[in-house]
């Protein structure tokens, strides 16, 4: 990721190697603030309160959280307690439990004295793998974007995305944004329509911040504008990330994704989902079986901006954080193995 004119990762070990540094994403784009996490409890708070978010990144954060817990208490009881604490931080993204299981599997057979070091090593490997997976997604997606641009070489390629599936949601590159960054770097003129993504505005605040830092032309739009733009022929493709893809190919992503998929289908606009294998959940049959996180209504009734938080309605609010897009509406899955028609 390009941040303050230098290449960085969204999560790194602290200088002493005993904790991790993450961006406090609640402060973006107004302030760039790094915070240190030095316990499983701090990691759990950062995940639950969305200091850090995005399926791959919360998996990496949880992996380090488990390693930090084992540095304090490497016993079986300590391992189990920290696993449960972190696993319950957010229920929908499958990467969270996957990463915890990877770390637990790497240390469970070891004597307690060796567990913390092994856990940190496995967490480091999860981060390195995430970068490699996302770069591969980007390279396969670059070929797709080249083909799309070739259909209208006289104008920029217009991509619409929803929520934030960029480097702020991963360790680097992002999933949905990886092809966009690589296309931009390769000289393909690309423009991104950025859904604001109410209620937390991850598109307006985070995706736009990322794209601006990389120099990618983009325009923030209201969530409800996407269908209109598709009808006007101003969207060549929709690319989104995902928090979980089930065995039948249903896609769980930020609330509002389903509506974009419906609009894309109605207007013959291809709808692509970018994901690494770590976000595929073969154990869950369909999207109906996914636990959908219900967050506090304050995220709907209040809006945060540069000047602080203001209330925008006096009524009570419901706040389902995710929806499910049926597999039949997905044109293809962008993975580290290539573009797949079915998952």
């Amino acid at each position: 990721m390009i941040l303050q004119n230098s290449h960085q990762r969204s999560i790194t070990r602290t200088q002493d190697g005993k904790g991790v540094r993450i961006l406090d994403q609640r402060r973006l784009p107004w302030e760039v603030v790094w915070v240190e996490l030095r316990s499983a409890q701090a990691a759990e708070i950062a995940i639950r309160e969305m200091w850090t978010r995005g399926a791959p990144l919360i998996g990496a954060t949880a992996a380090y959280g488990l390693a930090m817990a084992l540095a304090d208490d490497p016993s079986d009881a300590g391992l189990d307690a920290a696993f449960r604490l972190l696993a319950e931080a957010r229920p929908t993204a499958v990467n969270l439990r996957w990463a915890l299981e990877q770390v637990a599997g790497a240390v469970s057979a070891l004597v307690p004295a060796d567990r913390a070091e092994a856990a940190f090593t496995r967490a480091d490997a999860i981060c390195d793998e995430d970068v490699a997976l996302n770069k591969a997604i980007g390279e396969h997606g670059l070929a797709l974007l080249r083909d799309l641009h070739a259909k209208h070489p006289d104008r920029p390629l217009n991509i619409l995305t929803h929520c934030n599936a960029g480097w702020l949601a991963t360790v680097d590159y992002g999933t949905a944004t990886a092809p966009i960054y690589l296309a931009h770097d390769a000289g393909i003129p690309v423009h991104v329509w950025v859904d604001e993504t109410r209620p937390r505005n991850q598109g307006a605040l985070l995706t736009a911040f990322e794209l601006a830092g990389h120099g990618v032309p983009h325009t923030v739009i209201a969530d409800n504008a996407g269908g209109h733009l598709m009808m006007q022929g101003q969207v060549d493709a929709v690319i989104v990330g995902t928090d979980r893809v089930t065995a039948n190919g249903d896609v769980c992503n930020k609330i509002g994704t389903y509506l974009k998929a419906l609009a894309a289908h109605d207007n013959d606009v291809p709808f692509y989902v970018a994901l690494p294998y770590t976000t595929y959940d073969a154990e869950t049959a369909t999207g109906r079986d996914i636990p959908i996180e219900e967050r506090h209504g304050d995220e709907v009734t209040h809006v945060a901006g540069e000047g602080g938080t203001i209330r925008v309605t006096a009524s009570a609010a419901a706040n389902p954080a995710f929806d499910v897009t049926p597999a039949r509406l997905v044109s293809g899955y962008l993975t580290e193995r290539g573009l797949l028609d079915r998952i």
Side-chain angles (χ1 to χ4, degrees):
M1 69 188 194
I2 305 300
L3 181 63
Q4 298 175 322
N5 298 317
S6 65
H7 183 268
Q8 303 183 51
R9 288 187 174 187
S10 57
I11 186 169
T12 59
R13 296 270 290 274
T14 54
Q15 189 170 5
D16 63 8
K18 297 179 181 179
V20 291
R21 294 173 69 243
I22 62 165
L23 282 165
D24 185 348
Q25 296 189 27
R26 302 170 303 170
R27 312 281 283 274
L28 293 172
W30 320 115
E31 294 179 282
V32 176
V33 177
W34 292 92
V35 295
E36 290 190 0
L37 308 177
R38 291 189 169 272
S39 69
Q41 290 74 21
E44 188 272 338
I45 291 170
I47 293 168
R48 175 168 44 82
E49 296 187 359
M50 295 181 72
W51 304 12
T52 190
R53 21 80 41 218
L57 186 54
I58 64 175
T61 305
Y64 281 122
L66 193 53
M68 290 184 285
L70 291 170
D72 292 332
D73 180 2
S75 68
D76 288 347
L79 173 62
D80 291 344
F83 189 107
R84 289 195 304 273
L85 172 74
L86 292 160
E88 294 171 1
R90 297 194 68 190
T92 301
V94 73
N95 299 62
L96 176 61
R97 180 169 288 274
W98 174 85
L100 291 171
E101 289 173 348
Q102 290 292 306
V103 174
V107 305
S108 60
L110 301 178
V111 297
D114 295 337
R115 285 179 170 177
E117 182 177 356
F120 273 112
T121 298
R122 185 68 189 98
D124 290 341
I126 286 171
C127 290
D128 291 340
E129 182 185 35
D130 183 66
V131 175
L133 291 171
N134 295 332
K135 184 178 181 181
I137 289 169
E139 289 168 345
H140 292 300
L142 173 59
L144 171 66
L145 297 192
R146 284 190 192 279
D147 291 343
L148 289 173
H149 181 248
K151 296 178 180 180
H152 303 283
D154 56 330
R155 61 167 175 80
L157 180 67
N158 286 299
I159 303 297
L160 186 145
T161 191
H162 187 71
C163 196
N164 173 256
W167 53 255
L168 284 166
T170 67
V171 180
D172 204 353
Y173 288 100
T175 54
T177 59
I180 295 169
Y181 291 137
L182 269 61
H184 174 78
D185 293 346
I188 297 173
V190 59
H191 168 265
V192 183
W193 296 110
V194 182
D195 279 354
E196 60 183 342
T197 322
R198 285 277 290 148
R200 291 189 64 97
N201 292 330
Q202 294 101 322
L205 299 177
L206 303 180
T207 300
F209 172 77
E210 282 192 33
L211 294 171
H214 204 93
V216 178
H218 63 283
T219 306
V220 176
I221 57 173
D223 287 347
N224 292 329
H228 167 74
L229 293 171
M230 293 181 208
M231 289 187 71
Q232 297 298 312
Q234 297 186 61
V235 179
D236 296 302
V238 179
I239 306 178
V240 300
T242 175
D243 288 79
R244 186 186 305 215
V245 173
T246 57
N248 73 331
D250 289 349
V251 174
C252 184
N253 194 47
K254 186 56 58 181
I255 193 75
T257 303
Y258 178 40
L259 295 180
K260 295 301 179 297
L262 287 170
H265 181 75
D266 194 51
N267 290 279
D268 295 320
V269 173
F271 180 91
Y272 299 106
V273 178
L275 74 152
Y277 80 92
T278 56
T279 308
Y280 175 60
D281 179 12
E283 302 302 316
T284 300
T286 75
R288 293 181 181 275
D289 304 310
I290 297 173
I292 300 297
E293 179 181 6
E294 181 79 23
R295 294 186 62 81
H296 199 283
D298 284 357
E299 293 181 351
V300 177
T301 61
H302 293 70
V303 173
E306 185 176 14
T309 300
I310 62 169
R311 184 161 189 140
V312 295
T313 179
S315 299
N319 187 16
F322 300 90
D323 60 23
V324 174
T325 298
R328 63 181 174 81
L329 298 178
V330 179
S331 304
Y333 303 86
L334 269 172
T335 77
E336 71 278 2
R337 295 183 290 146
L339 178 61
L340 308 179
D341 292 333
R342 64 188 66 180
I343 204 69

